[in-house]
Amino acid sequence: MRFVIIGAGRVGLRTARVLREEGHEVTVIEREESKVRRARNQEFTVVEGDGSRETILEEAGLAEADALGALTGDMNVNFTACMIAKHHGCRTVMRIDEAYREGIYRKYAEEVDEIIYPERLGAIGAKNALLGGTIRAIADIAPNLQIVELTFTDEAPINGYSISELQLPADATVIAFGKRDRPLEIPSEDESLETGDRIVVLADYEVLSEVRQLIVGESAARAAANAGAGGVN
C-alpha cells in the first residue's frame, strides 16, 4: 500500500518507519528543514513544504495513495490536509493534541476517517505499567468506552466458571479470550475460566470497577480507585 505522512516529528517519523518495515511505500511531507534532513537521512522520500497545500500533496503522490496520515502538531494543517485528501479518495487519519478539541473536530470533520490522540495512547502505556501485570488497557474508543485485557487470578470470584456462566454488568461485553500462554481467540461458551487465562472486555468506564472485581479479584475500593472517574486521560 502507499501512504502519505504529513509531519516528520516524533509521531510522524515513527509511524513512517513502522509502515516501511511492513513493506509499504511511504512519502513524508515536512516543512522544517532540520526534520526534512532527518527524514532523508533515514532514506525516506520527502517532499519539502506545507502539507495543507494541495500542490504539495499532489507532489507527494496523493492521487495514488491509499491513505494519508496528517500527524503534525498543527491541527489546522492536519484538518485541511485531510479534507483535501478525502476528495482524492484517500483514507484519512488526523492527529489532535488537545482533548477538548476532539469534540469540535468530530462534529465539523465528519469526513475524517480516524482521529488519534498520541498523548492518550502514551498515557495508556503508562497506566499499564502502573497497574501491573493483571490489567492492560488496550484503547479508549469513545469518551466513555475502553477496551481492557484482564488476567484471571486466584482471587477472582468467578475462577473455575465457564464463559457461559460469566455475568458481566450490562454495559460490558467479552470480545476475546485466551487460555494461559495461548493466543487470544473468539471465546467459546464452554471455555473454563482459570488462573492465568486472559479476557478482553469492552466496557463503559462506569462499570470497569465491577468488571475488575469479577475477573481480577480486586476489592471494591481498590477496583474503583484503579478504574478512576474515567479511562486514560
Side-chain angles (χ1 to χ4, degrees):
M1 297 179 69
R2 303 185 66 174
F3 297 93
V4 173
I5 301 296
I6 304 175
R10 175 180 55 86
V11 176
L13 208 54
R14 182 175 298 175
T15 302
R17 284 198 298 267
V18 170
L19 289 169
R20 185 173 65 181
E21 287 168 3
E22 293 182 356
H24 301 291
E25 294 182 39
V26 182
T27 299
V28 176
I29 297 175
E30 176 55 58
R31 61 186 175 187
E32 290 187 27
E33 187 177 342
S34 61
K35 292 179 180 178
V36 169
R37 287 198 304 270
R38 181 173 63 179
R40 286 178 174 159
N41 287 340
Q42 295 184 30
E43 300 183 348
F44 283 104
T45 299
V46 182
V47 173
E48 188 170 358
D50 183 348
S52 64
R53 292 179 56 193
E54 190 163 10
T55 54
I56 296 296
L57 290 166
E58 289 173 346
E59 184 180 345
L62 183 64
E64 295 80 35
D66 294 289
L68 173 136
L71 306 179
T72 78
D74 186 328
M75 287 184 289
N76 292 318
V77 168
N78 294 346
F79 174 79
T80 302
C82 284
M83 293 299 96
I84 295 170
K86 201 64 180 176
H87 287 295
H88 282 74
C90 280
R91 172 174 170 78
T92 54
V93 175
M94 184 175 74
R95 169 187 172 179
I96 65 171
D97 288 326
E98 301 172 62
Y100 77 91
R101 296 292 293 276
E102 184 170 359
I104 295 174
Y105 276 97
R106 287 195 182 279
K107 181 177 180 180
Y108 294 105
E110 293 180 354
E111 292 186 54
V112 173
D113 293 300
E114 198 77 37
I115 293 177
I116 65 166
Y117 183 21
E119 284 72 14
R120 178 177 294 173
L121 297 177
I124 286 177
K127 181 177 180 180
N128 290 335
L130 289 166
L131 292 178
T134 58
I135 301 158
R136 186 168 71 92
I138 296 175
D140 287 337
I141 63 171
N144 63 318
L145 292 174
Q146 187 175 81
I147 298 176
V148 292
E149 179 186 296
L150 304 105
T151 301
F152 288 92
T153 68
D154 291 331
E155 291 76 28
I158 58 171
N159 198 322
Y161 285 41
S162 68
I163 289 283
S164 62
E165 295 173 312
L166 174 59
Q167 296 185 353
L168 293 177
D171 292 330
T173 187
V174 175
I175 57 177
F177 175 77
K179 298 298 291 182
R180 180 197 292 265
D181 300 326
R182 292 182 59 186
L184 292 168
E185 300 175 339
I186 300 299
S188 162
E189 289 189 353
D190 297 328
E191 291 279 10
S192 61
L193 309 175
E194 301 168 340
T195 301
D197 293 347
R198 291 159 297 128
I199 193 165
V200 178
V201 176
L202 171 64
D204 188 286
Y205 289 140
E206 293 193 359
V207 300
L208 272 177
S209 63
E210 296 176 53
V211 172
R212 297 163 72 103
Q213 289 176 66
L214 280 171
I215 296 172
V216 180
E218 291 180 336
S219 68
R222 179 176 173 80
N226 283 336
V232 180
N233 295 311

